[in-house]
Amino acid sequence: MSSAASSVRPQQEAPALESHVRTGKQQLPRKRKRKSEPLHAMVDDVAEQEVAWSSAVSKFQPGEVWYDTEGRTIQAHGGGILYHQGLYYWYGENKAGPTYMSFNLGYSTARVDIIGISCYSSPDLIHWTHEGPALRGGGHADLQPRRVAERPKVIYHDETRRFVMWLHMDTEDYELARAGVAWSKSPTGPFWYQGSFRPHGQQARDLTVYKDDDGSAYLVYTSEDNRALHIAQLTEDYLGVRPGYTRAMVNLKREAPAVFKSAGLYFMMTSGCTGWDPNSAEVFYSKSMMGSDWLPLGNPCMGATEVERTFTFFSQPTFVLPLPNQPGRFIFMADQWDSENLSASRYLWLPMWVLPVPLPVQQVAARQYEAYSAGGVKTMGRQPVLPPSAVDVVVQWESMWQLQDLQDPPLTRYESQAGGQTVLAEAIVQSFS
Ligand code: GAL
């Protein structure tokens, strides 16, 4: 994978990984085939075995079945994490119901009726205790089973001491397109649902919230029929949005936003818009949250195979978790959706770094890019000119890894054509400190 005419970031040699793709003429993206996991009726001896499994596990195993401390499959899809007083809280969609096709107003998608938003807690990010439903389905019209409640994210308000949850609320046909908000006095809930609305009258579908170091917080949501992302600052109590919003990534059709900050810059991980099917993640960065000039950094995936990188290891981002007191080091969190059985969708957490880029590579004018259409047709080309950038984001494929692996960023090899000369840079061994 190299081209003399373009700048390339050759990927590291992949560790052996179960192949998802047949070799041959047609390389179609293929999802991992899974056995269905028993979700409800788990017999005692199986549960015991799985508790044993759970306490024996000490590493992240991206894309494998993940059990909680009681031996039940974790149900926290489209989720996010809050770190609070030494514990991590993982909130996500409980999709442990039957998957069925919804045909409504001409739009059809696989769905599961609303059950609620789960909460799990963990001291180490590997062993998760189920804290029960943080927000239950039912009650409010927005939470009726045939509605949609997706991508919950929770932040903590230091003064009101409330935990505030934002989530994407919708009707089955995804036409309501609203942001919903709920709050609780406890990280594990129950959260009190306040209702939903269209921020500034604009659609809100996939969304996230981001709390900055100074306590200001932002709602980021896919709007304008998925053509643009909007960013609005939250009100002082975090329960609404302030006047004014920014339009970002206009016409780029990005969704599944996840915001993180490093070296004073704001970054946003995004996916393309292909429903439950995977596509290429792309990172953007900006000097300010409310800036409209979010600049592209391309697909951050490294390792595994070219097809796996192109399809973000067959996953869609949901959150980026900064590791406390470890600058430049993050966990990339994504969902490996199984649209035939959404409850069996898996979690893919990988090590991620924000790295300084060596000077020669900053001259790079373009990178090679490869993309696949939903039908699996490969196109190759050069990205529109990327601005010289002093930073890069790397998500590294590992089939098994642990937090201490984040200490050593991968050796990243860049190859670029600058001023007619090929420049190689292999010097990135330090992350920001
Ligand atoms: C995706 C979105 C998911 C879910 C899905 C439904 O685009 O990221 O959260 O809404 O569509 O098809």
Side-chain angles (χ1 to χ4, degrees):
M1 157 176 170
S2 82
S3 148
S6 60
S7 73
V8 181
R9 181 169 69 184
Q11 310 294 335
Q12 289 192 319
E13 270 310 296
L17 180 75
E18 178 190 322
S19 174
H20 301 282
V21 184
R22 268 195 303 242
T23 50
K25 247 166 107 190
Q26 242 196 339
Q27 294 209 324
L28 293 177
R30 288 163 71 84
K31 288 190 193 167
R32 190 187 294 245
K33 276 278 166 223
R34 298 162 181 165
K35 288 188 207 121
S36 293
E37 296 307 317
L39 287 168
H40 299 300
M42 205 175 270
V43 284
D44 284 351
D45 56 337
V46 174
E48 267 164 36
Q49 273 175 25
E50 282 160 359
V51 173
W53 178 93
S54 165
S55 47
V57 165
S58 60
K59 296 191 174 184
F60 297 102
Q61 299 183 8
E64 298 302 324
V65 180
W66 204 339
Y67 298 102
D68 67 15
T69 49
E70 286 164 19
R72 294 189 177 262
T73 315
I74 292 177
Q75 282 293 325
H77 309 279
I81 296 218
L82 172 75
Y83 180 63
H84 185 73
Q85 296 181 347
L87 273 186
Y88 295 92
Y89 295 91
W90 180 1
Y91 305 90
E93 303 156 30
N94 181 350
K95 285 186 148 2
T99 299
Y100 64 95
M101 290 303 287
S102 160
F103 294 92
N104 215 326
L105 297 177
Y107 177 75
S108 72
T109 189
R111 60 167 278 122
V112 168
D113 284 349
I114 292 186
I115 297 171
I117 303 302
S118 321
C119 176
Y120 294 81
S121 67
S122 171
D124 59 10
L125 293 165
I126 291 187
H127 302 99
W128 291 95
T129 301
H130 188 214
E131 299 285 355
L135 177 66
R136 283 178 191 276
H140 195 284
D142 284 353
L143 291 163
Q144 294 308 306
R146 292 301 287 244
R147 292 295 193 92
V148 167
E150 292 181 337
R151 298 190 173 270
K153 304 288 175 291
V154 174
I155 53 175
Y156 178 64
H157 196 298
D158 302 292
E159 276 141 40
T160 62
R161 299 191 182 176
R162 284 177 175 176
F163 298 84
V164 178
M165 177 187 292
W166 284 85
L167 66 178
H168 168 201
M169 305 305 296
D170 229 316
T171 37
E172 212 181 326
D173 57 5
Y174 286 87
E175 286 298 315
L176 191 68
R178 287 187 185 172
V181 62
W183 64 266
S184 172
K185 281 284 183 187
S186 152
T188 55
F191 280 74
W192 307 107
Y193 187 69
Q194 304 298 294
S196 65
F197 66 108
R198 284 188 169 186
H200 308 289
Q202 301 288 317
Q203 291 175 339
R205 292 201 174 93
D206 280 10
L207 59 72
T208 195
V209 271
Y210 175 70
K211 180 180 166 186
D212 207 346
D213 309 326
D214 64 0
S216 60
Y218 302 83
L219 184 67
V220 180
Y221 45 100
T222 304
S223 196
E224 303 179 30
D225 282 325
N226 295 355
R227 279 194 307 278
L229 277 153
H230 287 188
I231 306 168
Q233 192 175 343
L234 294 183
T235 48
E236 216 166 309
D237 59 8
Y238 296 169
L239 297 174
V241 292
R242 295 180 191 228
Y245 63 92
T246 291
R247 296 172 73 224
M249 296 159 219
V250 179
N251 291 328
L252 296 185
K253 291 205 136 202
R254 308 305 297 173
E255 65 175 8
V259 175
F260 52 102
K261 190 178 185 180
S262 189
L265 294 168
Y266 298 88
F267 294 82
M268 205 187 299
M269 184 72 70
T270 64
S271 77
C273 297
T274 54
W276 302 118
D277 295 332
N279 53 55
S280 293
E282 193 165 338
V283 190
F284 296 79
Y285 76 104
S286 166
K287 287 188 180 143
S288 82
M289 260 317 277
M290 293 297 284
S292 53
D293 53 340
W294 288 76
L295 301 171
L297 285 174
N299 182 341
C301 297
M302 281 186 63
T305 64
E306 191 181 322
V307 174
E308 285 160 315
R309 290 192 295 276
T310 303
F311 289 94
T312 319
F313 315 113
F314 302 111
S315 75
Q316 183 185 28
T318 182
F319 196 73
V320 170
L321 177 68
L323 286 189
N325 307 317
Q326 297 198 47
R329 293 163 173 91
F330 300 84
I331 298 181
F332 168 82
M333 291 171 50
D335 295 287
Q336 268 188 341
W337 298 116
D338 182 341
S339 58
E340 285 162 27
N341 181 5
L342 286 164
S343 70
S345 300
R346 296 193 185 167
Y347 313 100
L348 184 124
W349 293 16
L350 288 172
M352 192 188 104
W353 294 265
V354 177
L355 301 164
V357 173
L359 211 54
V361 179
Q362 291 183 33
Q363 314 304 324
V364 169
R367 273 186 190 171
Q368 179 173 305
Y369 89 95
E370 289 153 1
Y372 289 76
S373 69
V377 179
K378 184 175 171 184
T379 55
M380 288 185 66
R382 299 179 72 190
Q383 273 189 336
V385 174
L386 282 177
S389 167
V391 285
D392 200 6
V393 176
V394 169
V395 172
Q396 173 70 41
W397 169 259
E398 300 286 351
S399 55
M400 212 184 258
W401 66 284
Q402 52 197 335
L403 288 179
Q404 68 211 51
D405 299 338
L406 274 159
Q407 289 317 312
D408 300 317
L411 181 67
T412 310
R413 184 165 172 266
Y414 292 82
E415 186 182 319
S416 67
Q417 271 260 314
Q421 287 190 324
T422 300
V423 179
L424 280 181
E426 284 192 333
I428 302 180
V429 286
Q430 302 285 317
S431 75
F432 286 110
S433 54

